[in-house]
Structure formats: C-alpha cells, structure tokens
Amino acid sequence: MQRFDTVALTAARTSEGFIRDAPIVGRTGILHYSNADGSDRYEYRPPEEAFDVENLASRMGKSIMVGHKAMVTAKNAGTVGPIGTVLTAGRQDGDVIRADT
C-alpha cells in the first residue's frame, strides 16, 4: 500500500544559492489519506513504529518531491520530479520526524 503525506517547506537559501531545510518527513497519530476512488482512509501510526531506529535511518538518501506522481524508486527518481534529497537519518521532534535536506 502506498501512503503519501505533505507538509509546507520553510527552506532557507544558502549563500551559494542552494536550499536547506529540516522538514517534517513523518509523524505519529491518526493519519488521513485519500484513496484512489476519492474516499477517505484513516490509519493510526504509533510512536514506537514511527521512531523505530531502522525507520528513522531509512529516511537518509530519499528524494524530496513536490506532489507525488508515482511511487519513487531508484529507477524512476530522475523522472518523477524530485527537488532534493534527504541528507540525514530522521530524528524525533515531538510527535513528528524531521530530517535535514
């Protein structure tokens, strides 16, 4: 099952013109998703799953997308619109996961 979430980016531009940020890349609690048929689905994600060491480590190296046209894989990452890369493992920040981009 594919799940997509969105958050607003509050990036800063570096002196070289690159963009740096530490966006939310995951969260705990009751998550709302839209199914392909337009109906709503809710799933509970407990903190012990979200903040699992392997889950946090898995964030590093993933693409940052504007929207999701398709599930991002190593084979299609260059064609589905990535705008950046997650540079670090995730880290807990309250009930969300943040990672540096």
Side-chain angles (χ1 to χ4, degrees):
M1 178 178 295
Q2 297 179 18
R3 296 172 182 88
F4 305 111
D5 195 7
T6 59
V7 296
L9 299 178
T10 56
R13 193 171 298 275
T14 69
S15 60
E16 299 93 353
F18 294 98
I19 295 175
R20 297 296 308 259
D21 198 3
I24 296 170
V25 295
R27 64 185 80 238
T28 64
I30 299 173
L31 309 179
H32 172 242
Y33 299 101
S34 295
N35 293 315
D37 65 4
S39 62
D40 293 321
R41 182 178 77 252
Y42 296 89
E43 294 181 15
Y44 174 68
R45 186 165 196 209
E48 56 272 12
E49 177 185 303
F51 303 128
D52 175 76
V53 172
E54 288 183 25
N55 180 52
L56 294 175
S58 75
R59 306 301 171 142
M60 191 174 357
K62 299 299 189 291
S63 296
I64 301 288
M65 309 299 295
V66 175
H68 276 280
K69 300 174 191 169
M71 183 68 171
V72 182
T73 67
K75 289 184 178 183
N76 72 3
T79 63
V80 294
I83 61 164
T85 304
V86 177
L87 302 174
T88 64
R91 62 185 174 277
Q92 184 175 355
D93 182 8
D95 64 351
V96 300
I97 302 167
R98 290 191 182 273
D100 296 328
T101 61

